[in-house]
């Protein structure tokens, strides 16, 4: 079964996403920030990373840059409560740096599952704004 690493500083968000994905049969691991997420991915790469953008220690943007340099083929879904259309452009920036998709929090279960499935299959992911 495909493996997914969830990186988010909010334990409640990680648990919710983990529960959704495990019910679909995915093998899920968690990390509380980008530094720990990178460490875990280097030790045991997963098929997909789902990461928050704004986190302590190493944010999602820095993590995406570092992982894409080291593992160009890594599949990443970025998420943030900042929204797709905020002037600060966190999610837009994440996509420009190599994230396959960017989702706004709160995460919709059906949208998450669709995006995960499409990303794992290597499909171009369309998303609602």
């Amino acid at each position: 079964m495909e493996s997914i690493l969830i990186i988010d500083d909010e334990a409640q968000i990680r648990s919710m996403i983990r529960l959704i994905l495990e019910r679909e049969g995915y093998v899920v691991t968690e990390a509380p920030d980008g530094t720990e997420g990178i460490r875990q991915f280097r030790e045991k790469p997963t098929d997909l990373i789902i990461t928050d953008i704004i986190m302590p220690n190493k944010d999602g943007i820095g993590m995406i840059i570092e992982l894409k340099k080291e593992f160009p083929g890594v599949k990443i879904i970025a998420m943030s409560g900042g929204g797709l259309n905020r002037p600060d452009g966190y999610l837009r920036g994440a996509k420009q740096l190599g994230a396959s998709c960017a989702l706004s929090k709160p995460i919709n279960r059906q949208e998450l599952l669709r995006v995960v499935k499409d990303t794992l299959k290597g499909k171009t992911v369309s998303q609602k704004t």
Side-chain angles (χ1 to χ4, degrees):
M1 184 43 61
E2 293 160 310
S3 59
I4 300 172
L5 171 60
I6 302 166
I7 306 169
D8 196 304
D9 59 320
E10 295 181 56
Q12 194 171 21
I13 300 276
R14 289 194 316 266
S15 294
M16 178 203 62
I17 294 172
R18 178 184 202 124
L19 184 62
I20 290 168
L21 295 173
E22 285 181 339
R23 284 184 178 166
E24 296 297 314
Y26 296 104
V27 175
V28 180
T29 53
E30 300 177 26
D33 60 53
T35 301
E36 178 62 18
I38 289 170
R39 187 193 68 71
Q40 285 187 32
F41 189 81
R42 284 179 179 145
E43 276 184 20
K44 188 175 180 186
T46 56
D47 298 305
L48 175 66
I49 295 173
I50 300 174
T51 186
D52 190 19
I53 297 297
I54 303 169
M55 298 180 287
N57 299 324
K58 182 174 285 280
D59 66 17
I61 296 293
M63 191 206 63
I64 290 168
I65 291 168
E66 192 170 331
L67 283 177
K68 280 294 189 175
K69 260 187 216 172
E70 197 171 334
F71 305 94
V74 65
K75 295 175 181 173
I76 300 172
I77 296 172
M79 60 183 177
S80 179
L84 291 171
N85 298 314
R86 282 199 40 173
D88 51 23
Y90 293 124
L91 293 174
R92 209 172 16 256
K95 283 198 68 164
Q96 290 170 346
L97 293 168
S100 303
C101 180
L103 296 173
S104 291
K105 289 180 182 177
I107 303 294
N108 172 288
R109 179 188 178 281
Q110 288 178 306
E111 182 76 357
L112 174 66
L113 291 173
R114 182 186 65 80
V115 166
V116 164
K117 184 185 280 187
D118 287 352
T119 302
L120 286 168
K121 287 181 179 177
K123 293 182 178 179
T124 301
V125 179
S126 63
Q127 55 208 114
K128 298 172 189 170
T129 55

